[in-house]
C-alpha cells in the first residue's frame, strides 16, 4: 500500500473555470466570475489538494443545495459521490473525477440533472476518512433551464429558434391596429450583467416563496410553475412586483409607458429601490419585461400581439358595445371591452401536468386583468387548447379563448330603448403577430389560435367553448344554422332577432396614413344596394380611444343628408385638422371615426367605423464609422419637431444592450415649428456581435418619437479571452 494513502486528504482551493464553463453553457455574456450553468449539461471544476492528490478509493461526496431549507426529499439538496465514473442518470446529480495537469489537482465534471430546480446553489464537498469527515464550502453557482438539452422540459429542437427565443437580446413588439400594424423595437437585455440575479430575486420575492420557501424552491424544477409565478410578479397588484399598471393617461410621478424602450432600466430600478414597483406599465411593457425574465432563466419566450383583443367576463363569449343616436361610442360600466391591441407572451415547454398533445407554445399574460387562483396572473395556457376549445385545461384557458374568439354586438341606445345595429363574428382576435425567427419580418400566427373565421371548424370550436363556459339553455337563436347565440346578461331583450340585412353600405377609408401633426384625410363611401331612391341622414363623429378600447368624449361631429339614386355609389371627402384632434390625442395616438346612417323611410340604420393610429415622424440614426468593440465611434441622430408650433425643451435618450450602459440623456433646446435638427454623439460598444441601438425623442407636447438602428459590432483585432 502506498504511503500516500495514509496521508489525510485535505482541500487547498478550487478553480471554477467560470469563463470556459459559461462559454460552453452560453451564459458568458451575463458577466461576473460565477459559473452560470444550464441543467442537464456538465460543467468542470478543479480541486487542488495539499499534502497529496486524490487517489482512487478516496471517499469524496459533493453536496448541492438551493433555497433556505435544502432537503433531499424535496430535491433541493443532493449528496452524490465523486469517482472515476458514475452511472448515467437523467434524474440524479453525478460527478466524475479525472486527473488534472498538476499532481495534486483533480478535475471534477459535475452534471446537474435535467429536472433539477433552477436557482442559486451552494456547492460543498465532504471528504471522508477512517476517523472523520471534513466539510468544505466550495462556492456558489447558478443553474438555469436548458433549451439545448433533450431531457429538459423546455427543449427546443431548432437551433435557429433557440437563438431567437433564448439568446436574442433584441426584438420587435407590434402595435397600432389591425389595418395598420407597426413594429416597435425593444431591448430585452437578458444577458446584461446583473440581470440573472434580479430575475432570481423576483422568484424569492413572490408570495409563494414567502408563504413556503421550501416548497417553492422544490417546485422550481417545473417551467410551468416558474412561469406562472413570474406572470404574477411582473405586475404589482398582489405583491411588490416589478411594474405598476396605469391606463389613466395621468403619469405624474412616473414614466409614460410609451417612453420605455427596454427592460434593463425597469428591472434595475425595481432592484435598486428594494423591490418597489416601477411606474408605469401597460400590456406591451409587462410582456416585454416578462420575455426578458423568461429568456434570462432559460425558458424560450416570444412576445405576441393580438389585434382587437377581447376582454369578456359574462361567460357568453359576446362583447357588447354601445352607441348613442348621434353615433358616439359610449363608455360602459361593464368590464367587457375590445382592446385595439393586447400583448402577451408565449413560452415553450412540455406540459406533463396535462394529457398528451398540449406541449409547445403556452400563453402567459402578466398584464393584471383578472384574478386566477386569487392572484393577478394568467397562464400558462396551451395554444393548442385555445385552438381546439379545450377550456377545461389549466391554466386560464377560458379567459385566453375570449381574447381571440368572441362575438361583438353593437347596440344603439336612445333613452330606455335599445336597438341592435350589428353582430360581428370576426371582430375579435385579428392578425395575431410575433417577430419571425432570424429576421425582422412579422409572422402571423392567428391560425395557431383558431380556425379560419366563418369556417365550420371555427364555429364548431366556438360552440364547444361556449358550452364549457355556460350551459346551453333556451331561449337560444341559431346563426347561420350552426351556432346557438346567447345575448349578454346586461341586455334584457335576449330573444330578439338579429338586425335585418342593411340595404345601404357605408365604408370609411383613409386617403393616406397620417403622422402626428398632420391633418387626417378620409373618404366615406356610401352605396345604395337597392333599386329604389333613398334619403339618408348621416351622423359623423370622431373621438380619441385608449388602446384598451375606452373612448374619450367626441371632439368633432357633423350631420349630413345624402340622396342616393338606385344602386348609386357616392364618395364623401372628410377632413379632420390637427387643430381639431391635437389636444385630444392620447398616448396611444388612436382615434375612432364613426358614421351612422339612418334611412328616412324605413329608419334602418347602418354603422361604419374605423380606428386610426397616428404614425410617429421618423427619427434617423446614421453611423459615421466602423463599429468595433471597446472602440468609440460617432453617430448622427436626425429628427424634427412634428408640430406646426414651437415646442419647449426636449430630451434625447439612448439604450442598447452591449452598446450603451444605462440610459444616457441629452437635453435639447426648444424646437421651432416643423424644424429639423441633428445631434452628433459618440458611443463605445462593450460587446461584439449584432446589436440594436434605440434612440427616443421625448417632449411633453407630443408622444415619444423613436428610432432604432441595427449594428454589427466587430471584435477587436488581437483581442484574447481572459483566463481564470
Amino acid at each position: 500500500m502506498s504511503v500516500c494513502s495514509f496521508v489525510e486528504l485535505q482541500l487547498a482551493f478550487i478553480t471554477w473555470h467560470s469563463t470556459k464553463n459559461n462559454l460552453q453553457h452560453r451564459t458568458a455574456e451575463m458577466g461576473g466570475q460565477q459559473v452560470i450553468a444550464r441543467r442537464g449539461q456538465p460543467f468542470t471544476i478543479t480541486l487542488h489538494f495539499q499534502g497529496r492528490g486524490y487517489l482512487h478509493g478516496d471517499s469524496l461526496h459533493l453536496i448541492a443545495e438551493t433555497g433556505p431549507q435544502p432537503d433531499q426529499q424535496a430535491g433541493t439538496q443532493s449528496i452524490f459521490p465523486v469517482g472515476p465514473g458514475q452511472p448515467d442518470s437523467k434524474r440524479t446529480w453525478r460527478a466524475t473525477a479525472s486527473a488534472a495537469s498538476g499532481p495534486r489537482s483533480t478535475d471534477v465534471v459535475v452534471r446537474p440533472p435535467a429536472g433539477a430546480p433552477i436557482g442559486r446553489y451552494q456547492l460543498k464537498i465532504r471528504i471522508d476518512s477512517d476517523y472523520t469527515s471534513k466539510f468544505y464550502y466550495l462556492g456558489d453557482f447558478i443553474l438555469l433551464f436548458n433549451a439545448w438539452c433533450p431531457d429538459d422540459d423546455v427543449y427546443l429542437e431548432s437551433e435557429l429558434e433557440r437563438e431567437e427565443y433564448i439568446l436574442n437580446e433584441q426584438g420587435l413588439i407590434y402595435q397600432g391596429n389591425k389595418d395598420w400594424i407597426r413594429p416597435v423595437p425593444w431591448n430585452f437585455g437578458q444577458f446584461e450583467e446583473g440581470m440573472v440575479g434580479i430575475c432570481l430575486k423576483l422568484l424569492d420575492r413572490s408570495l409563494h416563496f414567502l408563504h413556503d420557501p421550501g416548497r417553492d424552491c422544490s417546485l422550481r424544477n417545473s417551467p410551468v410553475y416558474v412561469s406562472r409565478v413570474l406572470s404574477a410578479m411582473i405586475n404589482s397588484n398582489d405583491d411588490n412586483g416589478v411594474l405598476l399598471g396605469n391606463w389613466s393617461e395621468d403619469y405624474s410621478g412616473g414614466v409614460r409607458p410609451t417612453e420605455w424602450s427596454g427592460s434593463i432600466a425597469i428591472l434595475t430600478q425595481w432592484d435598486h429601490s428594494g423591490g418597489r414597483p416601477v411606474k408605469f406599465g401597460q400590456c406591451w411593457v409587462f410582456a416585454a419585461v416578462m420575455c426578458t425574465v423568461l429568456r434570462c432563466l432559460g425558458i424560450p419566450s416570444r412576445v405576441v400581439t393580438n389585434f382587437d383583443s377581447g376582454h369578456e367576463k359574462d361567460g357568453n363569449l359576446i362583447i357588447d358595445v354601445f352607441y348613442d343616436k348621434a353615433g358616439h361610442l359610449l363608455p360602459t360600466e361593464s368590464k367587457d371591452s375590445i382592446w385595439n391591441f393586447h400583448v402577451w407572451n408565449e413560452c415553450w415547454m412540455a406540459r406533463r401536468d396535462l394529457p398528451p398533445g398540449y406541449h409547445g407554445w403556452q400563453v402567459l399574460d402578466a398584464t393584471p386583468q383578472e384574478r386566477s387562483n386569487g392572484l393577478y396572473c394568467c397562464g400558462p395556457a396551451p395554444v393548442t387548447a385555445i385552438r381546439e376549445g379545450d377550456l377545461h385545461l389549466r391554466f386560464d384557458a377560458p379567459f385566453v379563448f375570449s381574447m381571440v374568439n368572441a362575438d361583438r354586438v353593437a347596440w344603439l341606445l336612445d333613452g330606455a330603448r335599445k336597438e341592435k345595429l350589428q353582430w360581428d363574428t370576426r371582430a375579435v382576435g385579428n392578425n395575431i403577430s410575433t417577430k419571425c425567427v432570424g429576421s425582422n419580418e412579422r409572422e402571423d400566427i392567428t391560425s395557431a389560435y383558431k380556425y379560419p373565421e366563418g369556417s365550420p371548424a371555427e364555429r364548431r370550436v366556438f360552440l364547444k367553448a361556449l358550452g364549457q363556459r355556460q350551459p346551453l339553455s333556451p331561449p337560444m337563436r341559431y346563426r347561420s344554422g350552426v351556432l346557438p347565440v346567447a345575448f349578454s346578461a346586461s341586455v334584457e331583450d335576449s330573444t330578439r332577432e338579429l338586425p335585418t340585412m342593411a340595404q345601404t353600405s357605408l365604408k370609411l377609408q383613409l386617403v393616406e396614413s397620417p403622422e402626428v401633426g398632420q391633418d387626417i384625410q378620409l373618404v366615406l363611401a356610401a352605396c345604395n344596394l337597392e333599386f329604389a331612391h333613398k334619403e339618408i341622414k348621416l351622423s359623423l363623429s370622431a373621438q380619441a380611444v385608449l388602446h384598451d378600447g375606452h373612448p374619450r368624449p367626441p371632439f368633432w361631429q357633423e350631420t349630413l343628408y345624402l340622396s342616393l339614386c338606385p344602386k348609386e355609389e357616392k364618395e364623401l371627402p372628410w377632413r379632420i385638422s390637427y387643430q381639431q384632434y391635437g389636444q385630444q390625442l392620447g398616448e396611444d395616438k388612436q382615434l375612432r371615426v364613426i358614421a351612422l346612417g339612418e334611412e328616412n323611410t324605413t329608419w334602418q340604420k347602418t354603422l361604419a367605423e374605423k380606428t386610426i393610429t397616428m404614425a410617429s415622424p421618423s427619427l434617423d440614426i446614421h453611423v459615421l464609422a466602423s463599429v468595433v468593440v471597446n472602440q468609440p465611434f460617432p453617430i448622427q441622430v436626425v429628427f424634427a419637431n412634428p408640430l406646426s408650433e414651437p415646442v419647449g425643451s426636449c430630451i434625447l435618450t439612448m439604450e442598447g444592450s452591449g452598446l450603451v450602459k444605462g440610459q444616457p440623456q441629452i437635453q435639447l433646446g426648444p424646437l421651432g415649428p416643423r424644424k429639423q435638427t441633428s445631434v452628433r454623439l459618440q458611443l463605445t460598444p462593450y460587446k461584439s456581435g449584432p446589436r440594436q441601438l434605440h434612440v427616443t425623442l421625448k417632449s411633453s407636447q407630443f408622444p415619444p418619437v423613436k428610432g432604432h438602428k441595427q449594428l454589427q459590432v466587430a471584435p477587436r483585432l488581437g483581442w484574447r479571452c481572459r483566463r481564470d
Side-chain angles (χ1 to χ4, degrees):
M1 181 178 293
S2 170
V3 175
C4 290
S5 63
F6 293 103
V7 179
E8 191 174 271
L9 189 64
Q10 297 184 55
L11 184 69
F13 62 95
I14 177 176
T15 302
W16 279 93
H17 306 293
S18 59
T19 299
K20 180 180 178 181
N21 283 319
N22 291 349
L23 281 170
Q24 292 174 345
H25 286 253
R26 301 171 181 85
T27 58
E29 288 198 2
M30 290 181 172
Q33 300 302 306
Q34 196 172 46
V35 167
I36 304 174
R38 300 189 186 274
R39 61 187 196 173
Q41 182 177 342
F43 63 90
T44 301
I45 59 176
T46 300
L47 302 177
H48 304 275
F49 300 98
Q50 59 185 8
R52 68 174 178 88
Y54 167 79
L55 298 174
H56 180 64
D58 284 330
S59 178
L60 305 181
H61 287 78
L62 291 179
I63 305 168
E65 298 177 337
T66 185
Q69 301 168 0
D71 179 78
Q72 282 187 276
Q73 189 173 0
T76 52
Q77 181 191 63
S78 294
I79 304 173
F80 49 103
V82 177
Q86 297 294 330
D88 187 26
S89 174
K90 298 177 181 178
R91 298 182 179 274
T92 59
W93 291 74
R94 65 186 191 274
T96 304
S98 62
S101 56
R104 297 176 184 176
S105 300
T106 298
D107 286 342
V108 177
V109 178
V110 181
R111 182 183 291 273
I118 66 158
R120 293 187 181 275
Y121 276 80
Q122 286 189 345
L123 190 64
K124 305 172 184 177
I125 190 169
R126 188 185 78 205
I127 302 177
D128 300 320
S129 67
D130 292 338
Y131 307 103
T132 185
S133 294
K134 289 188 176 181
F135 291 85
Y136 298 86
Y137 167 70
L138 301 180
D140 294 353
F141 68 96
I142 291 173
L143 192 64
L144 306 177
F145 292 106
N146 192 353
W148 285 264
C149 176
D151 297 322
D152 197 305
D153 281 352
V154 301
Y155 173 66
L156 260 177
E157 187 175 358
S158 167
E159 177 62 22
L160 289 176
E161 290 184 341
R162 293 191 291 248
E163 291 176 357
E164 181 70 50
Y165 301 133
I166 294 289
L167 302 181
N168 195 353
E169 292 189 86
Q170 296 87 38
L172 298 174
I173 301 172
Y174 293 95
Q175 297 182 6
N177 62 72
K178 67 177 180 181
D179 297 320
W180 191 78
I181 300 173
R182 66 186 182 99
V184 176
W186 192 271
N187 179 33
F188 296 120
Q190 68 269 24
F191 288 98
E192 284 296 294
E193 189 166 355
M195 283 297 105
V196 68
I198 295 174
C199 295
L200 292 174
K201 188 178 293 186
L202 266 175
L203 295 176
D204 291 343
R205 295 287 180 88
S206 75
L207 295 179
H208 301 272
F209 179 85
L210 297 176
H211 176 69
D212 190 343
R215 182 175 184 272
D216 175 77
C217 290
S218 176
L219 291 173
R220 292 182 189 178
N221 68 328
S222 166
V224 175
Y225 176 80
V226 170
S227 63
R228 184 161 173 81
V229 169
L230 290 173
S231 76
M233 280 303 298
I234 298 301
N235 69 70
S236 59
N237 283 43
D238 306 295
D239 41 47
N240 288 323
V242 177
L243 279 161
L244 180 64
N246 187 342
W247 289 266
S248 71
E249 294 283 293
D250 179 8
Y251 304 116
S252 54
V255 176
R256 294 184 290 180
T258 51
E259 289 185 11
W260 298 114
S261 295
S263 305
I264 302 170
I266 296 170
L267 289 166
T268 301
Q269 181 179 329
W270 176 83
D271 181 47
H272 289 175
S273 68
R276 288 197 301 270
V278 177
K279 302 176 182 179
F280 295 103
Q282 291 183 5
C283 66
W284 69 92
V285 187
F286 288 109
V289 174
M290 182 75 163
C291 185
T292 295
V293 176
L294 290 169
R295 289 185 182 183
C296 183
L297 297 180
I299 300 176
S301 177
R302 61 188 184 184
V303 179
V304 172
T305 301
N306 178 37
F307 292 95
D308 300 325
S309 188
H311 185 173
E312 186 271 321
K313 291 200 62 175
D314 300 325
N316 58 7
L317 296 178
I318 292 173
I319 296 174
D320 299 302
V321 293
F322 300 92
Y323 299 82
D324 65 15
K325 61 183 180 180
H328 304 152
L329 179 63
L330 300 174
T332 173
E333 294 181 359
S334 168
K335 289 189 176 180
D336 285 7
S337 60
I338 298 178
W339 296 30
N340 291 326
F341 66 89
H342 181 53
V343 185
W344 60 69
N345 298 94
E346 287 180 358
C347 57
W348 180 275
M349 63 184 64
R351 291 301 300 268
R352 304 190 188 282
D353 58 322
L354 299 179
Y358 297 99
H359 293 354
W361 289 116
Q362 316 285 319
V363 173
L364 283 169
D365 193 348
T367 301
Q369 298 182 82
E370 300 294 335
R371 291 187 184 274
S372 175
N373 294 336
L375 297 178
Y376 279 96
C377 62
C378 181
V383 173
T384 300
I386 306 307
R387 188 173 193 260
E388 300 301 329
D390 296 327
L391 305 192
H392 61 288
L393 299 174
R394 58 184 187 180
F395 295 90
D396 308 307
F399 183 76
V400 177
F401 186 92
S402 71
M403 290 196 291
V404 302
N405 209 339
D407 288 358
R408 178 184 187 269
V409 180
W411 296 85
L412 178 68
L413 297 185
D414 187 2
R417 189 174 68 89
K418 296 184 288 286
E419 178 183 350
K420 278 190 289 293
L421 291 174
Q422 194 178 73
W423 191 301
D424 192 347
T425 65
R426 303 170 183 261
V428 171
N430 291 297
N431 298 339
I432 304 175
S433 303
T434 192
K435 177 186 174 297
C436 281
V437 173
S439 79
N440 286 332
E441 298 300 314
R442 182 180 71 90
E443 180 182 1
D444 192 303
I445 57 173
T446 309
S447 61
Y449 282 83
K450 58 184 180 180
Y451 291 96
E453 287 285 1
S455 68
E458 186 267 338
R459 292 292 91 187
R460 171 183 56 79
V461 169
F462 190 98
L463 176 57
K464 176 183 176 182
L466 183 60
Q468 293 177 68
R469 296 203 68 182
Q470 69 171 27
L472 297 182
S473 58
M476 307 291 270
R477 296 282 176 185
Y478 282 80
R479 173 157 49 91
S480 303
V482 177
L483 176 66
V485 175
F487 290 88
S488 171
S490 65
V491 182
E492 298 174 0
D493 50 352
S494 61
T495 60
R496 288 188 182 180
E497 296 291 340
L498 296 177
T500 57
M501 185 68 69
Q503 297 302 313
T504 303
S505 169
L506 297 177
K507 186 175 182 180
L508 286 163
Q509 296 175 318
L510 272 174
V511 176
E512 59 182 356
S513 295
E515 287 186 359
V516 173
Q518 296 179 346
D519 294 348
I520 302 171
Q521 305 284 347
L522 296 122
V523 171
L524 174 63
C527 179
N528 183 358
L529 303 177
E530 292 186 306
F531 291 99
H533 186 274
K534 288 185 179 180
E535 297 289 333
I536 298 173
K537 176 186 175 182
L538 288 174
S539 299
L540 310 177
S541 63
Q543 56 197 119
V545 290
L546 306 183
H547 96 268
D548 64 0
H550 184 80
R552 286 182 164 184
F555 61 83
W556 177 88
Q557 59 187 25
E558 186 175 347
T559 301
L560 300 176
Y561 293 89
L562 182 65
S563 295
L564 289 175
C565 296
K567 293 289 184 177
E568 184 183 10
E569 297 182 20
K570 284 186 178 179
E571 290 189 348
L572 304 178
W574 186 358
R575 177 177 172 272
I576 303 174
S577 69
Y578 172 74
Q579 286 69 29
Q580 290 173 308
Y581 76 79
Q583 296 299 316
Q584 308 295 325
L585 199 63
E587 283 289 304
D588 302 303
K589 300 175 290 188
Q590 305 257 12
L591 300 175
R592 182 76 56 86
V593 291
I594 299 167
L596 179 64
E598 182 180 38
E599 297 182 26
N600 65 349
T601 54
T602 64
W603 310 110
Q604 188 181 56
K605 297 174 181 63
T606 304
L607 177 69
E609 56 189 334
K610 189 172 188 64
T611 299
I612 300 172
T613 304
M614 307 299 295
S616 294
S618 62
L619 186 153
D620 298 322
I621 304 169
H622 302 285
V623 179
L624 305 178
S626 58
V627 184
V628 180
V629 70
N630 295 325
Q631 291 184 357
F633 71 96
I635 64 169
Q636 184 181 38
V637 181
V638 181
F639 51 91
N641 173 9
L643 307 182
S644 56
E645 58 193 48
V647 298
S649 296
C650 299
I651 298 175
L652 205 65
T653 64
M654 294 184 295
E655 184 171 349
S657 179
L659 296 171
V660 182
K661 292 189 176 182
Q663 281 186 309
Q665 296 187 350
I666 297 96
Q667 295 284 343
L668 305 174
L671 293 177
R674 305 285 185 186
K675 181 182 178 182
Q676 185 181 80
T677 187
S678 65
V679 175
R680 189 181 175 106
L681 306 166
Q682 186 168 274
L683 304 177
T684 303
Y686 53 95
K687 290 183 180 181
S688 60
R691 302 290 164 188
Q692 196 173 78
L693 177 64
H694 304 254
V695 180
T696 302
L697 177 67
K698 297 188 290 187
S699 168
S700 61
Q701 294 175 253
F702 53 80
V705 178
K706 298 187 176 186
H708 71 284
K709 187 77 170 180
Q710 197 72 30
L711 303 176
Q712 184 66 38
V713 182
R716 191 171 180 177
L717 294 177
W719 181 79
R720 292 290 186 270
C721 289
R722 173 185 57 79
R723 288 189 169 186
D724 288 314

